[in-house]
Amino acid sequence: MQLVINGQAREVPDGLTVAQLLEHLDLGHERVAVECNGEIVERERFPTHALQPGDALEIVRFVGGG
Amino acid sequence: MSDLLTIAGRTFRSRLMVGTGKYATFQLMKEALAASGAEIVTVAVRRVNLDRREESLLDYIDLNRYFLLPNTAGCHTAEEAIRTARLARAAGLSNWVKLEVIPDDGTLLPDPIATVEAAAQLVKEGFVVLPYTTDDHVVARRLVEVGCATVMPFGSAIGTGQGLPDPDRLQRVIDAVGGRVPVVVDAGIGAPSDAALAMELGADAVLVNTAIAKAGDPVTMARAMALAVEAGRMAYKAGRIAKTPVASPSSPTEGLVGKPAQA
């Protein structure tokens, strides 16, 4: 299925949960926050939140800043 | 004697907060953080790069030792800042946010009205809000009224290292809201003397990023900033003398050699 992740269209396997997507993107060990279609996905829901084709995701992490 | 900084019920020994941006390497940042003695360190929130695996900042920050304060840097509107704050909280470390709403006009000066609006909304949502603001005491008061946990007035524009060109304005902010919430002088600090002056004026803490990260030797500068903040705080508590236009000698005016003996 196609998702829009951080503004980029991306093909990923069908039926992934957020947790599975993060593993797929090699981000399983990164402390990230995820927004799906403008709504925050709480960390507790990563394993159960199933993604749908066309979902727009923001995946962010902490970087250096002032 | 302990002299703790308390923000939203949480206490800190250090009154120096440091940023994590602009360091040549994460390792250098880690050493500078350690030398600064800071407990609160700021971080930014950015999209993960999906095309290229990048080192993780958090691998260099011991979360048992440091309290992360995510910022909303780069947000031009209240809406963007609120969205970024929600993401920062969702990362699961805390509900604190250093609120920055800065229009995209190249000055990096904050939008005070949008900052107050965003702060009010975030406080309603349960955030502990530490807003970056101008050195306008009326705005500072508004930020306190909407429930901010601190105010963070600038000394001068972000990254300029111009220090505190207008200490009187900063003093008015401290006089207006100090004692109700901590005042943290943020931005513009260029040298330890700037940090010390901010503390001497009665600021509760200082936040420094560029002046450490871009110093010739960031680790030594971090230590110098820590000492300056401590010295400034001690001087504030000790009470500096008033400035006077009239000179007064520090040595006795009597008993000078070669003068007639006084009656």
Side-chain angles (χ1 to χ4, degrees):
Chain A
M1 63 180 171
Q2 198 177 66
L3 302 175
V4 179
I5 308 175
N6 291 351
Q8 276 180 296
R10 240 184 141 83
E11 199 61 39
V12 302
D14 282 349
L16 294 182
T17 64
V18 170
Q20 287 165 339
L21 175 71
L22 294 175
E23 285 296 337
H24 177 76
L25 296 172
D26 200 16
L27 293 170
H29 299 288
E30 191 83 41
R31 181 172 285 274
V32 296
V34 178
E35 192 189 76
C36 181
N37 302 327
E39 298 289 328
I40 295 290
V41 182
E42 300 297 345
R43 298 174 69 76
E44 308 80 70
R45 284 172 38 223
F46 285 2
T48 53
H49 185 109
L51 295 166
Q52 307 299 322
D55 278 353
L57 295 157
E58 293 285 339
I59 306 177
V60 302
R61 64 173 184 168
F62 293 130
V63 300
Chain B
M1 208 184 80
S2 68
D3 178 30
L4 299 173
L5 170 67
T6 304
I7 302 175
R10 200 178 173 111
T11 55
F12 303 92
R13 289 180 308 280
S14 173
R15 291 174 180 271
L16 173 61
M17 306 179 186
V18 293
T20 56
K22 296 183 180 174
Y23 283 93
T25 65
F26 282 157
Q27 182 58 32
L28 186 60
M29 176 207 74
K30 182 180 179 176
E31 290 168 25
L33 294 193
S36 76
E39 294 162 278
I40 299 177
V41 300
T42 58
V43 294
V45 176
R46 288 294 178 272
R47 282 173 163 174
V48 166
N49 188 337
L50 298 172
D51 301 322
R52 186 158 49 87
R53 185 127 182 81
E54 290 172 327
E55 259 198 313
S56 177
L57 174 77
L58 292 190
D59 289 344
Y60 291 83
I61 299 176
D62 178 357
L63 295 176
N64 294 314
R65 176 170 175 181
Y66 301 105
F67 184 74
L68 279 200
L69 177 58
N71 68 31
T72 64
C75 294
H76 302 152
T77 64
E79 291 70 30
E80 289 172 14
I82 291 165
R83 187 179 183 187
T84 300
R86 288 172 181 158
L87 278 164
R89 178 166 68 177
L93 291 176
S94 80
N95 58 344
W96 288 39
V97 64
K98 182 190 164 198
L99 175 64
E100 299 184 32
V101 185
I102 298 177
D104 188 20
D105 66 0
T107 64
L108 293 181
L109 299 181
D111 177 334
I113 295 165
T115 302
V116 172
E117 287 170 1
Q121 177 62 30
L122 289 170
V123 168
K124 269 189 211 137
E125 295 183 19
F127 283 87
V128 173
V129 181
L130 294 78
Y132 172 62
T133 183
T134 64
D135 58 1
D136 183 317
H137 70 286
V138 180
V139 175
R141 225 184 263 134
R142 287 294 175 101
L143 289 166
V144 175
E145 283 166 11
V146 300
C148 289
T150 65
V151 291
M152 303 181 79
F154 60 53
S156 46
I158 295 172
T160 61
Q162 290 184 19
L164 276 50
D166 200 339
D168 290 347
R169 286 180 62 94
L170 218 41
Q171 187 71 67
R172 273 201 290 278
V173 172
I174 292 165
D175 293 346
V177 303
R180 295 161 73 189
V181 299
V183 175
V184 184
V185 175
D186 175 18
I189 300 290
S193 51
D194 302 327
L197 175 58
M199 297 305 293
E200 286 169 27
L201 293 175
D204 296 279
V206 166
L207 195 158
V208 182
N209 189 348
T210 310
I212 295 175
K214 289 298 182 190
D217 175 354
V219 178
T220 303
M221 186 59 83
R223 177 78 181 126
M225 287 291 180
L227 293 171
V229 167
E230 209 175 311
R233 176 66 182 174
M234 286 173 76
Y236 169 71
K237 293 186 82 182
R240 63 152 291 156
I241 61 163
K243 293 182 182 180
T244 86
V246 182
S248 72
S250 298
S251 306
T253 51
E254 294 174 2
L256 291 159
V257 296
K259 302 275 182 178
Q262 281 165 330

